Amino acid sequence: MGRGVILELKNLHTEVEQKEILKGVNLQLKRGRIYALMGPNGAGKSSLAYTIMGHPRFKVSRGEIIFNGENITNLTPSERAQRGIFLAFQYPIEISGITLFNFLRLIFNTRVDDRKSPMEFSKFLKSKLEVLDLNEKFISRYLNEGLSGGEKKKSEVLQMVIVNPELVILDEIDSGLDIDAMKIVSNTINNFFNEDKTILIITHYQRFLDYVKPDNIFVMFDGKILASGGYELIDLIEREGYETLEKRREHDEI
Ligand SMILES: Nc1ncnc2c1ncn2[C@@H]1O[C@H](COP(=O)(O)OP(=O)(O)OP(=O)(O)O)[C@@H](O)[C@H]1O
Ligand SMILES: [Mg+2]
C-alpha cells in the first residue's frame, strides 16, 4: 500500500455545547508510521480522538477529516470503524449484559470478511489472550465490568488486535499499567504494527514512548497543534513545561 497519507485533518474546529474545543487543527498522518500526541490536561487530545471517531458530542463547526482520500467528516462512528479506524478509550465504558467474548465476535464480524465459526473464533481468540497474558475467564465477563484499570486497558488492546484496523488511536493506553503490563501492551502494539498501519498514541509519559518508539511527536495546546518534531520535543517539555513552550512559540523562538 505504500507510504501515503492515511489521515488528514484540515483546519478542524469542534464544539461541545457551544464551547470551542478544537481551534483549527491541521494534521497529517502517514501509513507505516507511529505518532505520539502529547499536551497538558484539557488541551483537547481526547476530544481530537473522539472527533476523528465521530462521537456525536463533538460537533465539527469548520474543517474536514479525510481518511484514505475520502471525506469522512459526516460519517457515523460505525461507518468510520468499518473503514478501519479504531479508538481505544482513555476511560473504557462498562456494559453489563454483554460478555467480552460476544462483543469481540460482534466487532470481528462487522469488520473482517473472514467469517469464523464460534469454535474457530474461540481458538483464534485464545491465541490472542495468551499474548496479552490474559486468563481465559476474562472473556466470559461482562464488558469491562469490575475490571481493574490495567485489565480494562488490556481489553482495549485485545479489541484492537481482533478488529485489525488500519488507523489506531490509543488514548492513554499506558495509564494505570504496571511495568510488566506496560511491556506486554507495548510488545502487542509493536507486533501489531506494520507498513500498512498507522498508530497515534496519546500519552503523558516518555516511558511508554521508550517502548513503542514513535517516528514523530505532536504537542497539542489549547485546541491546536503547537509543535511537531522528534524526541527533542520531549526533552524540551520535561525541561520547560508546556506553558513556556507555548510562550516561546508565540515569540517565534521555536
Ligand atoms: N462533554 C463535555 N462538556 C464540556 N466540556 C468538555 C466536554 N468534553 C470535553 N470538554 C472540555 O474540552 C477540553 C478538552 O478536554 P479533553 O478531554 O479533550 O482534554 P485532554 O487533552 O484529553 O486532557 P487529559 O490529558 O486530561 O486527558 C476540556 O476543557 C474539557 O473540559
Ligand atoms: Mg484525555
Side-chain angles (χ1 to χ4, degrees):
M1 285 249 204
R3 287 205 162 234
V5 173
I6 187 165
L7 183 83
E8 192 167 11
L9 307 180
K10 293 183 181 168
N11 192 27
L12 197 63
H13 292 250
T14 58
E15 289 170 7
V16 174
E17 286 149 24
Q18 271 103 53
K19 181 185 166 200
E20 192 173 45
I21 311 276
L22 300 185
K23 303 174 179 174
V25 173
N26 290 296
L27 200 69
Q28 244 195 23
L29 304 185
K30 290 184 177 161
R31 216 174 266 286
R33 302 269 167 86
I34 300 179
Y35 300 90
L37 179 64
M38 304 182 83
N41 296 133
K45 304 178 300 296
S46 295
S47 302
L48 182 72
Y50 276 124
T51 306
I52 294 170
M53 204 61 228
H55 193 296
R57 197 193 297 141
F58 296 86
K59 306 260 179 275
V60 175
S61 53
R62 273 170 74 185
E64 291 181 338
I65 306 168
I66 313 288
F67 180 69
N68 272 331
E70 180 189 12
N71 186 343
I72 61 158
T73 319
N74 297 314
L75 296 190
T76 64
S78 69
E79 286 167 333
R80 297 179 202 214
Q82 275 161 21
R83 280 162 177 72
I85 307 178
F86 176 88
L87 167 62
F89 296 110
Q90 180 173 2
Y91 304 110
I93 43 161
E94 298 187 7
I95 304 177
S96 197
I98 177 162
T99 62
L100 180 59
F101 178 81
N102 281 334
F103 182 71
L104 291 171
R105 266 202 85 195
L106 191 78
I107 56 178
F108 178 82
N109 285 333
T110 50
R111 164 82 180 123
V112 186
D113 288 336
D114 164 30
R115 297 270 152 170
K116 288 192 194 311
S117 70
M119 277 281 280
E120 288 169 331
F121 186 74
S122 287
K123 233 177 113 187
F124 166 69
L125 192 54
K126 215 176 140 186
S127 63
K128 306 296 181 193
L129 283 170
E130 276 166 18
V131 174
L132 280 162
D133 195 27
L134 288 170
N135 190 300
E136 251 182 274
K137 287 194 198 124
F138 193 72
I139 50 172
S140 50
R141 294 174 63 170
Y142 289 145
L143 193 65
N144 289 323
E145 198 179 67
L147 297 189
S148 76
E151 286 169 341
K152 282 183 185 170
K153 296 293 171 164
K154 282 189 176 182
S155 169
E156 295 287 301
V157 175
L158 182 63
Q159 289 166 42
M160 172 192 84
V161 172
I162 299 295
V163 175
N164 194 26
E166 281 179 58
L167 172 64
V168 175
I169 305 167
L170 302 168
D171 194 355
E172 298 200 19
I173 199 74
D174 53 336
S175 77
L177 295 183
D178 66 51
I179 190 67
D180 293 353
M182 193 177 293
K183 283 181 188 162
I184 290 169
V185 163
S186 56
N187 272 337
T188 309
I189 294 166
N190 287 330
N191 288 332
F192 166 83
F193 177 69
N194 64 37
E195 287 287 291
D196 291 329
K197 306 215 181 279
T198 305
I199 302 180
L200 178 65
I201 294 164
I202 299 173
T203 185
H204 287 292
Y205 305 108
Q206 177 176 2
R207 180 161 212 177
F208 191 58
L209 302 181
D210 290 338
Y211 291 110
V212 286
K213 299 194 173 43
D215 299 286
N216 211 309
I217 293 157
F218 299 113
V219 179
M220 190 159 193
F221 193 96
D222 192 24
K224 278 186 238 156
I225 301 295
L226 173 70
S228 156
Y231 276 74
E232 74 283 355
L233 268 181
I234 304 182
D235 297 335
L236 200 65
I237 294 163
E238 296 254 329
R239 270 205 319 273
E240 309 200 4
Y242 289 111
E243 293 281 343
T244 316
L245 202 66
E246 158 74 356
K247 292 216 167 59
R248 283 180 50 177
R249 177 67 189 226
E250 272 174 28
H251 298 106
D252 284 330
E253 288 173 23
I254 52 166

